[in-house]
Amino acid sequence: MGVVGRLGIIGTVAAAAAALFASGAEAAVRQVRHYVALGDSFTSGPLIPLPRLNPLGCARSTENYPSLLNRRIRPARFTDISCGAADSTNMTEPQSVPLGRNPAQFSALTKDTDLVTVSIGGNDFSVFGDTISTCARLRPSDPGGAPCAKHFGDELSKRIGQTEVRVLTVLRGIRERSPKARVLVVGYPRIAPASGTCPSVLPFATGDYPFLDSVEQQLNAALRRAAGVNGDTFVDTYAPSLNHDACKPRGVAWVNGQHTDLLAAAAYHPFRTGMVGVADAVQRALATAKARRG
């Protein structure tokens, strides 16, 4: 056989291998048929450009972590029904928002839904809102102490226990509606730094920084337990967000502080950098689950 003939065979084999690889890649892309994103404002991404308009009042960004993940995994269908200020009850009940109404988030689930991400619980029993507002209000009374921690005692721990029950109910509801879905329960990234303070960004007393952090860790632990009980995957975003807290400079911080930026993030909510970090964590969780299945 001449050189030309051998090259022809090599080229044919290479072309066949390339075609096989392409078909395999295409199959991987099509592996997810319907991805549904459920959640609150830490999912929707208020004020991260550019907003979706359906409805505008949900403050649902085209650059939130579900949208970023969607562009990476390219499911056949993608539904983001997350909404700012949502709590667990809005999975089964519609939510009134400025300039419209968001349907019950479970309405997006179908029997064919095979991937669900859900980030919920921070608004249940006003855990997040009460912590932020109360700690900021009480700082002047004892800037070097922990007036917020003293004010709440173990009250927030009790509320988080109630939240865990609600989240487990949500996860069971997802399973009922989409029995074949892989469900990823996405935790909340850290807001307070591991050490130090930044009162111009997080206006809390010195001793309330650890308190804020402990509340968030308790909430994430509750979400992890609920996911475990239901056989779902918990996605930790707290650990990956170390050194990306609100005290860090823009471009490093995953979460904004007290000052709303109309072109970047609402107060105490994720920047796009945070959404990228969360999307990375979710994608790693998907890859790990795929590797375990072989």
Side-chain angles (χ1 to χ4, degrees), residues 8-171:
I9 291 175
I10 292 171
T12 300
V13 171
L20 182 62
F21 177 81
S23 64
E26 186 177 359
V29 167
R30 292 180 178 175
Q31 189 171 11
V32 176
R33 291 177 297 175
H34 184 205
Y35 166 34
V36 174
L38 311 172
D40 56 26
S41 54
F42 267 66
T43 302
S44 66
L47 300 183
I48 300 175
L50 294 165
R52 298 186 188 274
L53 305 177
N54 54 337
L56 181 61
C58 276
R60 190 182 298 137
S61 173
T62 56
E63 295 294 313
N64 60 15
Y65 82 77
S67 297
L68 297 174
L69 185 66
N70 169 60
R71 294 201 287 270
R72 296 178 187 183
I73 67 174
R74 293 186 291 168
R77 288 179 58 207
F78 168 55
T79 307
D80 180 3
I81 197 169
S82 62
C83 193
D87 65 20
S88 296
T89 65
N90 297 121
M91 298 298 108
T92 55
E93 299 173 7
Q95 180 182 354
S96 295
V97 297
L99 304 177
R101 189 171 80 154
N102 199 47
Q105 294 193 28
F106 277 176
S107 66
L109 299 173
T110 69
K111 296 294 184 183
D112 292 329
T113 300
D114 52 352
L115 176 62
V116 177
T117 56
V118 54
S119 306
I120 204 71
N123 293 323
D124 286 78
F125 305 104
S126 300
V127 168
F128 182 77
D130 280 1
T131 302
I132 294 297
S133 62
T134 303
C135 288
R137 176 174 56 82
L138 293 178
R139 180 182 184 272
S141 67
D142 187 8
C148 196
K150 293 178 181 178
H151 171 83
F152 281 113
D154 64 351
E155 172 61 28
L156 294 179
S157 297
K158 293 177 181 178
R159 295 189 203 179
I160 290 170
Q162 295 172 300
T163 297
E164 183 176 341
V165 174
R166 278 191 177 183
V167 171
L168 181 56
T169 300
V170 167
L171 299 181

Side-chain angles (χ1 to χ4, degrees), residues 176-242:
E176 290 172 1
R177 293 162 177 81
S178 302
K180 298 178 182 179
R182 189 185 322 168
V183 181
L184 278 67
V185 182
V186 183
Y188 293 91
R190 67 174 66 229
I191 299 173
S195 61
T197 64
C198 56
S200 64
V201 178
L202 298 177
F204 310 136
T206 301
D208 283 331
Y209 278 71
F211 174 68
L212 170 63
D213 191 55
S214 71
V215 169
E216 187 169 9
Q217 289 192 58
Q218 288 179 62
L219 179 58
N220 279 324
L223 299 182
R224 184 190 293 273
R225 286 191 298 269
V229 169
N230 206 52
D232 298 320
T233 299
F234 176 74
V235 180
D236 178 19
T237 66
Y238 179 86
S241 59
L242 178 65

